[in-house]
Amino acid sequence: MTDAPAVYPVPPDFAAKARVNREQYERLYGESIDDPAGFWGRVAARLDWMRAPTKIKDVSYKLDDFHIRWYEDGELNASVNCLDRQLAERGDKTALLFEPDDPNQPARAVSYRELHRRVCKLANALRNLGVRKGDRITIYLPMIPEAAVAMLACARIGAIHSVVFGGFSPNSIADRVSDCQSKLIITADEGVRGGKKIPLKANVDAALKLPGTNTVETVLVVRHTGGAVDMQMPRDRWYEAVVDDQPEQCEPERMNAEDPLFILYTSGSTGKPKGVMHTTGGYLTYVSYTHETVFDLREDDVYWCTADVGWVTGHSYIVYGPLANGATAVMFEGVPNYPDFSRFWQVIDKHKVTLFYTAPTAIRALMREGDGPVKATSRKSLRLLGTVGEPINPEAWRWYNDVVGEGRCPIIDTWWQTETGGILITPLPGAIDAKPGSATKPFFGIRPAIVDANGQILDGATEGNLVLLDSWPGQMRSVYGDHQRFIDTYFKTYPGMYFTGDGCRRDADGYYWITGRVDDVINVSGHRIGTAEVESALVSHPKVAEAAVVGFPHDIKGQGIYAYVTLVAGEADSEDLRKELVAWVRKEIGPVATPDHLQWAPGLPKTRSGKIMRRILRKIAENAPDQLGDTSTLADPSVVESLVKHRRDA
Ligand code: WTA
């Protein structure tokens, strides 16, 4: 039991200087809801437009007249907003501060001027290689400045980037390349994380042997570790060789606000990962505005988001948001526990980080090591702490607050999704008192609601599924190549509303508490994995007849992956086969999808019509056999007893 406070008020000295205080939050929120077009029209003026938008919002979630358009007659270029317009005042300011995996290697500061130069050179090189507006480029890079350079170079010439996280396997790269018909891949010889090498170029080579990938004409390879790679001419080219002689200026493409900026693949409850498509004007307006407001950004802040650019957090809050705001952003190649558990805090001291943004899973893993590694550092530069990616348990929240922030720094627990482009529910640090575990209140323009299973909107303190009643500029516009899937996935469950896939509680103060996914998506260490993807990887193994995958509570990862596997008749289970299947999933999808437990299931609990009852499998995985509920509709109830008896211990 604990007598720790349930509410942590905004620190008064923070509130006194904050961009948004309590009164302003109430007033601006009201304005943003009463007159969204007026509000977001004013906000858009923060960007440099080649043609200022006059039509601000045109949205209908109605299924017979579905469209989402923001700033539709505006024209701009995202790279100009992130680079060119910073040159006059901030040319020598550090844009990216690269901190390598190995602390004994030097950190490198990339100024806005240098970043601009590097982006222009790569953009020119891409044009020379035949890349045109609307072409798709896959980026498979480690956390090095070239990742941001590559994204911005695409944006400069209107090419649509698709960043694939370095932890994905050749199969996953191939799926993504083939889905968007990429013309070119930008990769590196190797990545390095926690001292371990990741064979990025070799993974690309393997991916390009797979069917569906022959649209790729060119692979650009950044020399990063200097490790040996197999260059296949003329397809493969060294990055430096094609970029070095290029001019340092590059005419930006004029982009319509609704032209695509990027595709980012994410897992859903069914089928293969979908290509979440974001457009230029609304996305950039939204991420730059939220980054400034939610983090209470100041000119001299040193901002560090520990996410990887392979995820949406890296897109919105390492690259586009911070650079559009002329901020200094740390880009960290490594991991929290290398060379030791003090690394995060050492980097904070080294670079005098003021704003720090990380994931609950990292906080829990570091908390387990005790206070020592934190207290060995100063952290006095810090003034704000943020979390993202999954619900944070109050115990971890308090440790973050008390030990890491020494009670001085407000904590922002930011709820959002790949689909939402930017942060939607979060405390504003100078305006909203925190409650550990709650993402608190909606950002400007966001209209959350809680519905029951029938789509009835519930009032007051309540619990149900989280929906959003209206659009915001950063909302995704489509599933790449499959617009109907976009509508079906998000707007059909509750017609006229965007369904988030999350469960949520609202308390008597109107605070939102996200309770986790209510669909078949597992959130492992803040990474989304579809149970259907893991199942299809398992059944593609010749010895597997059937598989069912569920999430279970995991102390560090938030959720772990629990797989039930039925073998083909005549195949015997064994420890070796178990290991082989786990390795198989890693090979098929990537290490992010490694099952934590794999249980042999001679049979799976099914209804008489053959539907697998996941509710029961979840309870067994959770080790709650007394909560199995009604099993009378099962075709063969004895299956359950046997699964309970042979449960794998967590
Ligand atoms: C979960 C990451 C609770 C949620 C930006 C959401 C959170 C999914 C929070 C999206 C939070 C993200 N509190 N849950 N502060 N932030 N989530 O697309 O389940 O990788 O639907 O985007 O993460 O994950 P995604």
Side-chain angles (χ1 to χ4, degrees):
M1 283 308 288
T2 163
D3 51 9
V7 180
Y8 289 71
V10 172
D13 49 334
F14 197 101
K17 289 182 280 184
R19 284 189 173 274
V20 179
N21 63 28
R22 211 177 291 267
E23 177 276 322
Q24 287 162 321
Y25 170 75
E26 296 298 339
R27 181 169 51 77
L28 287 169
Y29 183 75
E31 284 175 26
S32 72
I33 300 302
D34 295 344
D35 177 19
F39 182 85
W40 289 111
R42 288 191 293 280
V43 173
R46 63 188 291 105
L47 297 185
D48 274 8
W49 297 82
M50 294 163 168
R51 179 192 156 131
T54 62
K55 298 182 184 162
I56 304 304
K57 179 186 182 207
D58 183 9
V59 175
S60 161
Y61 283 176
K62 288 202 200 87
L63 293 176
D64 54 359
D65 176 30
F66 184 89
H67 57 272
I68 302 173
R69 293 183 209 116
W70 286 91
Y71 310 121
E72 60 182 294
D73 61 346
E75 288 177 358
L76 76 167
N77 182 287
S79 85
V80 169
N81 276 280
C82 292
L83 303 169
D84 304 53
R85 70 160 173 162
Q86 315 295 1
L87 296 183
E89 308 264 311
R90 303 182 175 113
D92 297 322
K93 181 173 176 178
T94 298
L96 296 174
L97 191 45
F98 172 66
E99 170 68 23
D101 183 63
D102 176 355
N104 299 314
Q105 297 293 319
R108 288 201 308 258
V110 183
S111 68
Y112 273 94
R113 201 180 318 286
E114 184 186 346
L115 191 61
H116 176 266
R117 188 164 56 226
R118 286 166 67 173
V119 167
C120 286
K121 292 179 89 163
L122 176 59
N124 286 323
L126 292 174
R127 275 200 182 130
N128 277 352
L129 289 163
V131 178
R132 295 291 171 261
K133 179 176 176 181
D135 287 344
R136 278 79 56 212
I137 304 290
T138 296
I139 299 173
Y140 185 65
L141 282 171
M143 279 291 287
I144 55 179
E146 283 80 359
V149 172
M151 292 162 76
L152 293 166
C154 289
R156 191 150 195 102
I157 62 172
I160 305 169
H161 59 71
S162 160
V163 182
V164 177
F165 174 58
F168 280 120
S169 68
N171 279 309
S172 295
I173 303 170
D175 283 347
R176 287 158 174 76
V177 163
S178 131
D179 184 79
C180 72
Q181 304 277 286
S182 251
K183 192 164 182 176
L184 186 145
I185 301 182
I186 306 176
T187 188
D189 46 10
E190 294 172 317
V192 46
R193 274 164 63 82
K196 286 198 216 75
K197 302 269 172 72
I198 302 143
L200 299 176
K201 172 61 165 64
N203 286 349
V204 169
D205 291 342
L208 293 185
K209 293 202 175 78
L210 297 168
T213 56
N214 56 8
T215 48
V216 175
E217 295 164 8
T218 310
V219 178
L220 294 185
V221 186
V222 175
R223 207 188 297 269
H224 178 49
T225 64
V229 294
D230 175 20
M231 295 295 275
Q232 299 176 29
M233 298 302 176
R235 186 195 70 187
D236 299 347
R237 314 278 296 271
W238 287 109
Y239 180 98
E240 26 179 67
V242 301
V243 162
D244 268 359
D245 296 333
Q246 295 295 331
E248 296 184 352
Q249 297 294 332
C250 171
E251 193 56 35
E253 198 74 38
R254 276 179 98 91
M255 303 297 284
N256 180 272
E258 284 295 350
D259 281 338
L261 179 62
F262 66 84
I263 303 166
L264 183 56
Y265 287 86
T266 192
S267 298
S269 31
T270 53
K272 296 221 168 198
K274 40 184 182 273
V276 168
M277 195 189 85
H278 283 285
T279 57
T280 308
Y283 173 80
L284 200 62
T285 303
Y286 195 76
V287 297
S288 98
Y289 185 51
T290 47
H291 179 253
E292 181 183 273
T293 313
V294 175
F295 291 92
D296 193 56
L297 184 71
R298 303 298 152 146
E299 191 59 48
D300 53 0
D301 271 319
V302 176
Y303 162 83
W304 180 19
C305 163
T306 68
D308 190 283
V309 285
W311 309 108
V312 74
T313 308
H315 283 59
S316 301
Y317 297 115
I318 297 177
V319 179
Y320 287 111
L323 298 179
N325 290 334
T328 295
V330 174
M331 200 168 184
F332 177 48
E333 185 183 22
V335 293
N337 59 353
Y338 178 82
D340 57 53
F341 286 95
S342 255
R343 186 70 191 277
F344 270 4
W345 327 123
Q346 288 158 4
V347 172
I348 287 171
D349 284 353
K350 178 171 171 187
H351 297 301
K352 308 275 182 293
V353 171
T354 56
L355 311 172
F356 180 66
Y357 193 31
T358 194
T361 187
I363 298 168
R364 286 190 297 263
L366 294 171
M367 180 170 96
R368 193 175 59 174
E369 302 303 315
D371 300 356
V374 188
K375 294 206 162 137
T377 62
S378 145
R379 288 156 286 106
K380 70 173 188 302
S381 55
L382 285 174
R383 65 181 195 90
L384 177 139
L385 300 170
T387 74
V388 58
E390 45 174 325
I392 182 164
N393 47 312
E395 194 195 1
W397 193 102
R398 292 200 168 91
W399 185 79
Y400 200 31
N401 183 72
D402 300 348
V403 180
V404 177
E406 293 171 343
R408 284 183 289 113
C409 307
I411 293 187
I412 51 167
D413 173 356
T414 64
W415 174 85
W416 58 294
Q417 311 178 296
T418 306
E419 294 88 338
T420 70
I423 296 165
L424 300 197
I425 302 183
T426 179
L428 293 187
I432 298 169
D433 301 338
K435 297 188 190 184
S438 171
T440 75
K441 300 262 190 163
F443 188 72
F444 303 134
I446 304 305
R447 291 176 55 198
I450 295 179
V451 295
D452 65 15
N454 304 317
Q456 277 303 316
I457 294 182
L458 306 171
D459 293 326
T462 187
E463 183 161 355
N465 289 343
L466 182 66
V467 297
L468 300 161
L469 301 180
D470 200 355
S471 181
W472 60 99
Q475 179 166 32
M476 75 183 277
R477 298 296 194 271
S478 195
V479 170
Y480 187 78
D482 194 350
H483 194 61
Q484 194 57 44
R485 187 171 172 201
F486 173 52
I487 299 172
D488 292 350
T489 307
Y490 301 102
F491 300 92
K492 281 228 167 117
T493 318
Y494 305 111
M497 309 173 193
Y498 168 87
F499 178 40
T500 62
D502 279 323
C504 186
R505 182 165 70 78
R506 187 174 49 221
D507 68 18
D509 297 325
Y511 275 48
Y512 290 85
W513 303 71
I514 309 295
T515 51
R517 302 288 306 195
V518 293
D519 54 8
D520 291 318
V521 171
I522 314 180
N523 193 330
V524 184
S525 302
H527 301 152
R528 278 165 69 167
I529 310 289
T531 54
E533 281 170 76
V534 184
E535 287 165 5
S536 91
L538 283 166
V539 296
S540 72
H541 188 282
K543 293 185 179 164
V544 174
E546 202 170 20
V549 169
V550 296
F552 70 98
H554 187 289
D555 283 350
I556 303 292
K557 300 180 184 181
Q559 277 189 301
I561 300 178
Y562 197 111
Y564 297 87
V565 170
T566 309
L567 293 174
V568 176
E571 291 294 344
D573 62 46
S574 67
E575 264 321 296
D576 282 348
L577 183 57
R578 189 197 310 276
K579 287 195 191 114
E580 183 182 325
L581 292 180
V582 169
W584 178 267
V585 174
R586 288 173 66 93
K587 179 179 82 61
E588 288 289 307
I589 306 177
V592 286
T594 310
D596 297 275
H597 295 295
L598 194 149
Q599 174 171 358
W600 305 118
L604 289 168
K606 291 183 184 168
T607 61
R608 287 188 195 94
S609 58
K611 202 169 159 326
I612 296 175
M613 292 192 68
R614 289 163 187 286
R615 172 177 62 78
I616 291 177
L617 293 176
R618 274 189 216 110
K619 288 296 170 196
I620 298 173
E622 270 171 36
N623 200 12
D626 48 327
Q627 295 167 28
L628 294 181
D630 181 13
T631 55
S632 64
T633 56
L634 286 175
D636 176 7
S638 73
V639 164
V640 174
E641 274 162 51
S642 146
L643 288 178
V644 170
K645 205 159 115 215
H646 296 107
R647 179 181 172 277
R648 296 278 297 175
D649 243 343

